[in-house]
Amino acid sequence: APSDSPTDILQLDGAIQFLQWREYMLVSYKKGEVPIWNDLVLGSIPFLANSQSAPLYPLHMLWSLAGLSAEALLSFSAWLHLWIAGCGLFLLSRRLGGNEIGGLIGASALILSSFLIAWIQLPSVVMTASWIPWVLLGVLRLFEERNAKSIAKLGLAVGLMLLSGHLQIAMYGLIAALLYVLWLGLGEKSGKAILLSGVSLLLGILIASPQLLPVLENGRNGHRAQPPTSEGYKGYSALALKPHHLSIIAAPTMFGMPGEWVDLEDGKAPSYWLSLEEQGRNYAELALYMGPVVLPLFLLGFFANWRNARSNFFGFLALFSVLAALGTLVTQAMYWLIPGWAATGSPGRIAVLLTISVCALAGSAIGDRLQKPKLALSAFAAIAVASLALLAFIQIAG
């Protein structure tokens, strides 16, 4: 018989997996030990080499010094990374030409997007996704200000994204960054900027390498490790979105909502009926909704700036994301050409790039060309985004 509310696999993962990892990590650090192996499971299993445990992520290392609990860490981390994502999107929209209002609209849309809301219960996804706007901002800044400071900022953003734990989401961020570098570099015919961007990306990989290298080595022998095969691609593409799933962009409850029951004559059934009709579907894998205002602003931003390569890239990135999610030739190319891609999850998770690109271009639609925000304005925007992120987290947690 069903309980009072349906069970969601993301909630289970957060409670019985991530909470235990965070607890083990904090206990290890408090004992003065780096958690390389987890000796409480199966005699001993890799911990540092398990990417989603993220033991070398700076927040986790600092939290161990505070003496606070793992439960408090998960709660604080959820709010913090919503705020980080929003601030990054605000600054990205501003640099693309949006004014303060435009930046706040884009940031608000990202924080309240169904992608971040649906995945917030799986900490590593939102942690990693929150740094993607900063990586794209870093690429844009490097093309505008080609100096050591810009190289370091982009490298740091890449390093934090890779240390955050979810390698599939991090790979989406790297793909977006590489596409942006090529888009701008080839458009501006600037080999120097491409080279400097490559140095930044390499710097980010080096920052994350103490955790990243063991993860990659361990992944070669993990349960998901498999070479790309025709049969494997058949199963992978079966998880791709179908055209009718795109209706969620306009109507988030089209297929019901997770966490709710509906009363039937012979009992109860999950409100999210798509999980019954298409076995294995999870609301988070189709998290495309960004609010009613964002899409019109996205189109306005695209057509207003369609000749500006630094802005119109985000229209291309949105299209690329949709094609990759739908099981097209783009999906197939990623499966066969990117090493290790056969071991990743649903193609629908590329909604993270769709969400970021739409929100960024929507934010740029309101305002004139960039005037660098003053310190007071930046502080006000950060506080506004923090307040909104906290409100969103409270509503979710409640």
Side-chain angles (χ1 to χ4, degrees):
S3 60
D4 292 337
S5 62
T7 298
D8 189 294
I9 187 62
L10 299 185
Q11 292 176 324
L12 283 178
D13 280 351
I16 67 177
Q17 183 168 264
F18 282 87
L19 179 59
Q20 313 311 316
W21 286 340
R22 301 300 186 257
E23 178 67 27
Y24 183 80
M25 174 191 64
L26 293 178
V27 170
S28 297
Y29 277 131
K30 289 172 184 176
K31 292 192 298 184
E33 302 173 356
V34 176
I36 297 176
W37 288 87
N38 183 352
D39 55 9
L40 301 180
V41 178
L42 299 176
S44 188
I45 61 173
F47 191 82
L48 176 64
N50 170 19
S51 67
Q52 297 199 63
S53 62
L56 299 187
Y57 188 60
L59 171 63
H60 294 164
M61 300 179 74
L62 290 172
W63 198 265
S64 67
L65 302 176
L68 298 173
S69 68
E71 291 90 340
L73 170 59
L74 290 178
S75 296
F76 178 77
S77 179
W79 168 81
L80 176 67
H81 289 92
L82 287 176
W83 177 70
I84 289 172
C87 288
L89 204 287
F90 172 82
L91 294 175
L92 179 59
S93 293
R94 289 282 291 135
R95 193 165 282 266
L96 290 173
N99 62 17
E100 298 84 1
I101 299 300
L104 287 173
I105 288 175
S108 301
L110 178 61
I111 288 172
L112 298 174
S113 66
S114 62
F115 186 90
L116 291 190
I117 298 302
W119 283 102
I120 200 170
Q121 298 169 99
L122 200 72
S124 62
V125 171
V126 175
M127 287 168 57
T128 306
S130 70
W131 292 107
I132 296 178
W134 290 92
V135 170
L136 295 172
L137 173 65
V139 171
L140 182 55
R141 178 188 287 122
L142 184 56
F143 272 81
E144 294 179 347
E145 305 169 16
R146 301 171 190 178
N147 52 43
K149 187 176 180 180
S150 295
I151 293 173
K153 287 182 177 179
L154 175 55
L156 179 61
V158 171
L160 290 169
M161 181 179 69
L162 292 172
L163 286 170
S164 300
H166 201 288
L167 289 190
Q168 183 181 6
I169 302 299
M171 276 301 301
Y172 284 137
L174 287 178
I175 289 170
L178 289 171
L179 290 175
Y180 204 10
V181 168
L182 293 176
W183 185 276
L184 295 177
L186 296 178
E188 299 178 10
K189 298 180 180 179
S190 176
K192 179 180 179 181
I194 293 177
L195 178 61
L196 293 178
S197 299
V199 171
S200 286
L201 295 176
L202 179 59
L203 174 62
I205 292 172
L206 289 175
I207 291 173
S209 61
Q211 180 176 291
L212 182 62
L213 293 180
V215 165
L216 295 177
E217 178 64 26
N218 184 52
R220 295 171 58 186
N221 302 310
H223 69 285
R224 284 193 174 188
Q226 56 180 321
T229 63
S230 298
E231 188 65 25
Y233 180 71
K234 183 178 178 181
Y236 179 75
S237 60
L239 298 174
L241 275 59
K242 306 298 187 292
H244 66 278
H245 293 151
L246 297 180
S247 60
I248 290 182
I249 294 177
T253 60
M254 177 66 69
F255 306 113
M257 289 293 289
E260 297 178 358
W261 290 107
V262 294
D263 294 318
L264 303 176
E265 292 182 0
D266 56 348
K268 292 184 177 182
S271 167
Y272 189 62
W273 56 267
L274 192 64
S275 63
L276 303 176
E277 182 176 288
E278 301 179 21
Q279 292 296 318
R281 288 292 180 192
N282 185 290
Y283 186 86
E285 306 286 4
L286 285 75
L288 305 173
Y289 186 67
M290 291 160 270
V293 176
V294 179
L295 280 180
L297 287 177
F298 165 74
L299 294 174
L300 177 62
F302 177 77
F303 287 111
N305 299 285
W306 70 275
R307 292 189 178 183
N308 183 348
R310 301 184 182 194
S311 297
N312 63 27
F313 166 78
F314 291 92
F316 160 76
L317 185 61
L319 176 61
F320 172 84
S321 303
V322 171
L323 292 176
L326 288 175
T328 64
L329 289 175
V330 175
T331 320
Q332 191 170 356
M334 293 172 68
Y335 178 87
W336 289 100
L337 299 179
I338 300 178
W341 203 258
T344 60
S346 165
R349 296 177 187 178
I350 202 172
V352 63
L353 296 187
L354 175 64
T355 300
I356 290 171
S357 57
V358 168
C359 291
L361 205 49
S364 74
I366 303 176
D368 301 318
R369 292 302 303 164
L370 172 67
Q371 301 271 326
K372 285 190 176 182
K374 298 178 180 178
L375 179 60
L377 174 61
S378 298
F380 170 77
I383 293 171
V385 171
S387 301
L388 184 63
L390 181 59
L391 178 61
F393 173 71
I394 291 172
Q395 292 296 319
I396 298 163

